[in-house]
Amino acid sequence: MDRTQVINFGPGPSALPDSVLEESAKALLNFQGTGIGISEISHRSKEFGAVVKRLEQLIRTQLDVPPTHHILFIQGGGTQQFSSFVLNMLARYRLLHPNIPDEEHVMDYVVTGSWSKKAAEEARRLGGAHVNIVVDAREHSSDGKSFTGIPPHEAFKFSADPALIYYCENETVHGVQFAQEDRTPSSFPFHLLARDAPGGGAIPPLVADYSSSFMSRKIPRLADHAVIFAGAQKNIGPSGVTIVIVREDCLVDVDAAAKMGAAPVPKMLAYKTYSDSGSLYNTPPTFAIYVAMLVLERMENVGGLKVVEETNRRKQEKLYGVLKESEGKNLIRFNVKDGSRSWMNVVFRGKDEELEKQFLASGEAQGFKSMKGHRSVGGIRVSIYNAITEEQVDKLVSFIKEFNEKIAA
């Protein structure tokens, strides 16, 4: 098939805008008239230094990142951050509380899907603190073992003084996402944390995994977070670079903390290493950073994050709307309860495996690629990241309506 005949609904690496791919293809041969390709140019050159600064400025402006937070570009993906933020936050906690023994250090984890589950498992593996599961969404599902939504706020049990509180804003595999509107039933319960509680006080260090929803809509209470991280390969670029937004007080001297008893932190996992070097301590993923810059420049040109968010809202409303019609005809069932469903990863099951096979095969014939559900949960998953246009979603909606009529005939 030709590219124009295909719509890539893959969960990541995901679709990129054609205009960005065309521009980056030119830059692979000759970047900004240098005669050198973007993948060949020195990361120490002034031309590439300008790319890094431009990408940082685009993120800061469109997300309203305050000056209290640094923006870093790191390799290793979101999974590496499961180790990095633990080591950095425990080092910070040791510096702040030198006399509290390790066995009294606590890290809070909100488990709402497979990625937050893996993050908690990595924290336990690293040791150095007790891992407190604030809430496990499986315990609030009908079968007691599936991730089907955000648990009720009263189920969240935060520790009194954790070294960090981790949550995953959007679970790519299961299609579970926190609601954006504050204090709604499926939102993250910021109001249960110290600043909103009687007597006030500082919010404990919040660590948020935004890997599959970054730059798709605004981040609620961004300034209250200590760390926000996201792999680029969903909404803003190819795989290879991870964006990490770190509050200044979390850029700690990990060597000083180690001398006080904290676990040693490899230099390439320490956030301060990247902050001090402008993300250029070693050779970064130059091509991935450049493409991310092009994607965010394009976003700026079409009206910025506000316009992108409005488009994403319409896309998911259209897709969920037609799927609810399918549900009403007993052709599909949703994995996730209403109110907790992801904008980015629409996950559902057919009434049986045969219907799922027919749906996927028919969709493939129409050029709809990568709609098969994750191997751990099966079913169907349609990822509608930023690069998927509203017109492409409309084509999928029309296909689903026609499929419903064919099955019902």
Side-chain angles (χ1 to χ4, degrees), residues 91-361:
R92 175 183 182 272
Y93 195 80
R94 171 60 70 190
L95 291 169
L96 291 173
H97 306 283
N99 298 319
I100 297 180
D102 285 352
E103 57 268 23
E104 295 182 22
H105 296 186
V106 179
M107 297 182 288
D108 278 1
Y109 278 73
V110 176
V111 178
T112 54
S114 64
W115 289 112
S116 48
K117 176 176 173 285
K118 287 184 178 181
E121 289 169 351
E122 178 67 358
R124 290 193 190 96
R125 195 186 70 80
L126 291 172
H130 169 67
V131 174
N132 170 53
I133 301 300
V134 173
V135 68
D136 188 327
R138 289 171 294 187
E139 297 174 0
H140 299 270
S141 65
S142 59
D143 62 7
K145 61 182 182 180
S146 301
F147 292 111
T148 59
I150 303 299
H153 289 168
E154 57 268 23
F156 286 67
K157 306 299 180 186
F158 293 104
S159 302
D161 183 28
L164 64 93
I165 299 171
Y166 164 90
Y167 71 98
C168 181
E169 195 270 347
N170 181 68
E171 291 281 1
T172 322
V173 171
H174 292 90
V176 175
Q177 185 172 28
F178 283 93
Q180 194 177 29
E181 296 75 18
D182 198 17
R183 298 204 184 211
T184 54
S186 297
S187 65
F188 187 84
F190 295 104
H191 62 282
L192 298 181
L193 303 178
R195 186 178 295 172
D196 289 345
I203 286 181
L206 273 175
V207 177
D209 181 348
Y210 266 77
S211 286
S212 51
S213 56
F214 192 69
M215 300 304 295
S216 66
R217 62 188 194 185
K218 283 191 174 293
I219 296 177
R221 299 177 67 153
L222 186 152
D224 285 335
H225 288 75
V227 179
I228 294 170
F229 65 90
Q233 68 275 13
K234 310 292 186 180
N235 278 314
I236 61 171
S239 58
V241 63
T242 304
I243 295 92
V244 185
I245 302 174
V246 186
R247 200 171 61 210
E248 193 162 6
D249 64 286
C250 298
L251 299 168
V252 300
D253 186 337
V254 295
D255 292 334
K259 290 177 182 178
M260 297 171 65
V265 181
K267 187 172 284 290
M268 292 304 293
L269 296 185
Y271 292 144
K272 196 170 187 300
T273 299
Y274 296 89
S275 177
D276 289 349
S277 63
S279 296
L280 295 172
Y281 180 78
N282 70 327
T283 306
T286 52
F287 182 70
I289 288 173
Y290 171 68
V291 176
M293 183 200 75
L294 293 181
V295 169
L296 293 189
E297 283 189 334
R298 177 181 176 274
M299 182 184 294
E300 183 181 63
N301 291 336
V302 301
L305 186 57
K306 181 180 179 181
V307 170
V308 169
E309 179 175 336
E310 290 171 352
T311 302
N312 284 333
R313 183 184 297 277
R314 292 194 300 271
K315 283 157 51 179
Q316 59 90 22
E317 286 176 348
K318 288 180 177 182
L319 185 51
Y320 279 117
V322 72
L323 289 174
K324 287 178 181 177
E325 293 177 12
S326 302
E327 182 187 36
K329 296 176 181 178
N330 295 317
L331 298 177
I332 67 122
R333 57 182 172 82
F334 287 108
N335 297 33
V336 179
K337 61 187 178 184
D338 200 7
S340 298
R341 293 172 187 159
S342 170
W343 283 26
M344 297 284 98
N345 310 105
V346 179
V347 179
F348 57 98
R349 298 299 305 256
K351 66 176 182 179
D352 52 43
E353 289 188 9
E354 182 57 34
L355 184 138
E356 290 178 359
K357 290 178 182 178
Q358 289 183 46
F359 181 90
L360 292 170

